[in-house]
Amino acid sequence: MAITKKKAKTIKSTNFWLYEKRKMQNQAVGILGKRVPIRDVPESMSCVGFVSNGAIYLKEHSFLTDKLTDAKTRAIHFGLFVEGLAHIAFTDYKYLNEVMKTKIGDLKKIDDMEELRECRKMQNIFLQIFNTCELPALESLVPTLLSGHLLDCLKYTIKRKYDVSAEVHSKKTDYEQVIQAMEHFSFMGPVKGHFDKSESKRYFFKTMALMNKIIKTSDAKERINLAFSIYELLTPLWKDLIDDESFDLDNLLGDSSISTSLEAILAGFTTLSEGSSEIDPEELADNADLSKGAMRKTTWEKVEKLENEEEKKERED
């Protein structure tokens, strides 16, 4: 039976994807000193990747790679791979799990289905906020792990995420607009679009000081605590969404980044595993790359100026 060009191209793509994953596994051993399985994201999940029980799950084809050349697609794959390595090296999963259980609720101890549903959604909200804040912190810590081509792939991937991300005003709720602006701030700094909801701009202003602290700290537990502070700060924006059946809070986790996915946990892949918490935060801070600080500082200064102008206007009124 003759093989069509389309089928031949599919076979070639599959073989190359297997080669890429093997290469990633070999590189992980050299970088972290241990084996890190590289697996495919299940087709039922929309995210481009997640870390689960010491393994990195990646999606070969996604909106991040859509219409890109083969070389740029590989850069995205390896950029997401680096994100996964950074989560394994620097994210304290044990403490993250502890915070979710003690401050939000332990899913395994809840029998009532309605209470379980609400707890699950609140944990998803917290994880979305945490993932959004953790990415820029990891980006600044990655140069303590690796350099060269892999670091370039990570930077290209983050730029790609920013380029394809939606503008703030395209989101329907105050909460979604704040999260979208936080993602822009975490990717590159400048916010795309404008706020057209009554509370979104004000709450985004409030989150920025905490996000700046998260980005600049190398203490994994402190980053989690600060992310929880943002979760509490944004409660007025998301609390009514919990009971809104039309709003799918189960799929809130950002699709564009390697995440700590509650969806993965509940699907039976894993419980949250313990990350590397033995690394000295001060030693990491000495070697962290905060080169994007200038762009974020510019955004921060613009926001401060707007906030001061609005406060002045309110006093005059």
Side-chain angles (χ1 to χ4, degrees):
M1 182 182 294
I3 299 177
T4 64
K5 288 184 178 180
K6 185 177 180 180
K7 188 173 182 180
K9 186 176 181 181
T10 301
I11 293 171
K12 182 179 179 182
S13 174
T14 301
N15 289 340
F16 207 89
W17 177 231
L18 290 171
Y19 166 76
E20 283 184 22
K21 290 188 290 184
R22 284 198 297 270
K23 186 173 182 180
M24 290 174 190
Q25 288 185 158
N26 292 335
Q27 288 178 322
V29 173
I31 294 167
L32 297 182
K34 61 181 179 181
R35 181 177 176 272
V36 177
I38 309 296
R39 298 169 180 156
D40 288 279
V41 172
E43 291 184 8
S44 61
M45 298 175 69
S46 60
C47 60
V48 297
F50 60 90
V51 171
S52 177
N53 200 29
I56 298 172
Y57 289 76
L58 299 174
K59 185 166 284 188
E60 181 183 5
H61 303 293
S62 70
F63 66 95
L64 286 180
T65 61
D66 187 37
K67 297 180 181 178
L68 292 183
T69 63
D70 289 346
K72 289 181 177 179
T73 295
R74 287 194 293 275
I76 295 293
H77 292 161
F78 280 91
L80 293 172
F81 161 67
V82 171
E83 271 189 44
L85 291 181
H87 270 297
I88 292 170
F90 303 124
T91 300
D92 192 333
Y93 286 117
K94 184 178 181 181
Y95 185 67
L96 181 64
N97 200 21
E98 181 184 321
V99 167
M100 289 201 300
K101 284 182 178 179
T102 58
K103 295 188 176 183
I104 300 177
D106 189 341
L107 297 172
K108 293 181 178 179
K109 294 182 179 180
I110 300 174
D111 296 323
D112 181 76
M113 291 304 295
E114 184 62 24
E115 186 182 348
L116 181 66
R117 184 185 70 87
E118 290 188 3
C119 183
R120 186 180 189 272
K121 288 186 173 184
M122 287 189 289
Q123 288 198 1
N124 259 341
I125 289 169
F126 170 59
L127 285 174
Q128 182 189 39
I129 292 169
F130 169 74
N131 286 326
T132 302
C133 297
E134 182 79 344
L135 175 61
L138 295 180
E139 183 190 356
S140 68
L141 295 172
V142 161
T144 67
L145 265 186
L146 50 84
S147 60
H149 176 67
L150 286 177
L151 187 57
D152 291 339
C153 288
L154 174 64
K155 291 179 178 179
Y156 173 72
T157 301
I158 293 172
K159 175 66 165 57
R160 173 68 174 168
K161 291 178 191 177
Y162 182 77
D163 289 342
V164 302
S165 63
E167 295 185 327
V168 169
H169 58 267
S170 69
K171 299 300 180 179
K172 296 179 180 179
T173 67
D174 284 298
Y175 174 74
E176 288 176 293
Q177 288 199 352
V178 172
I179 293 298
Q180 189 63 66
M182 287 172 62
E183 283 198 350
H184 293 158
F185 188 70
S186 73
F187 292 156
M188 299 298 293
V191 175
K192 294 167 63 176
H194 61 275
F195 297 95
D196 62 1
K197 300 296 178 185
S198 58
E199 296 293 302
S200 55
K201 183 192 290 185
R202 185 166 67 89
Y203 274 92
F204 175 60
F205 290 173
K206 289 181 177 181
T207 66
M208 287 192 68
L210 291 169
M211 279 197 74
N212 268 322
K213 289 182 180 179
I214 291 172
I215 292 168
K216 293 178 180 178
T217 183
S218 51
D219 188 319
K221 289 184 173 64
E222 181 64 13
R223 292 199 302 273
I224 293 167
N225 291 336
L226 289 167
F228 192 82
S229 295
I230 294 177
Y231 166 82
E232 291 181 312
L233 175 65
L234 297 181
T235 300
L237 300 187
W238 60 254
K239 64 179 181 180
D240 292 335
L241 298 175
I242 293 290
D243 298 319
D244 186 349
E245 295 296 335
S246 65
F247 193 79
D248 190 5
L249 280 167
D250 287 333
N251 293 314
L252 266 181
L253 291 172
D255 289 340
S256 65
S257 296
I258 294 291
S259 63
T260 299
S261 174
L262 186 63
E263 186 179 8
I265 299 165
L266 296 178
F269 291 105
T270 183
T271 54
L272 288 173
S273 59
E274 183 176 2
S276 176
S277 57
E278 299 177 357
I279 303 172
D280 182 4
E282 291 186 6
E283 182 181 344
L284 286 176
D286 289 339
N287 296 290
D289 176 12
L290 300 172
S291 57
K292 276 190 186 170
M295 284 188 288
R296 294 193 179 103
K297 184 180 179 183
T298 300
T299 303
W300 171 246
E301 288 172 348
K302 287 180 180 178
V303 168
E304 266 193 324
K305 184 179 178 181
L306 285 171
E307 191 173 25
N308 291 335
E309 287 174 355
E310 289 195 357
E311 287 179 355
K312 183 180 178 181
K313 188 177 179 181
E314 287 177 3
R315 288 196 298 270
E316 289 174 351
D317 293 342

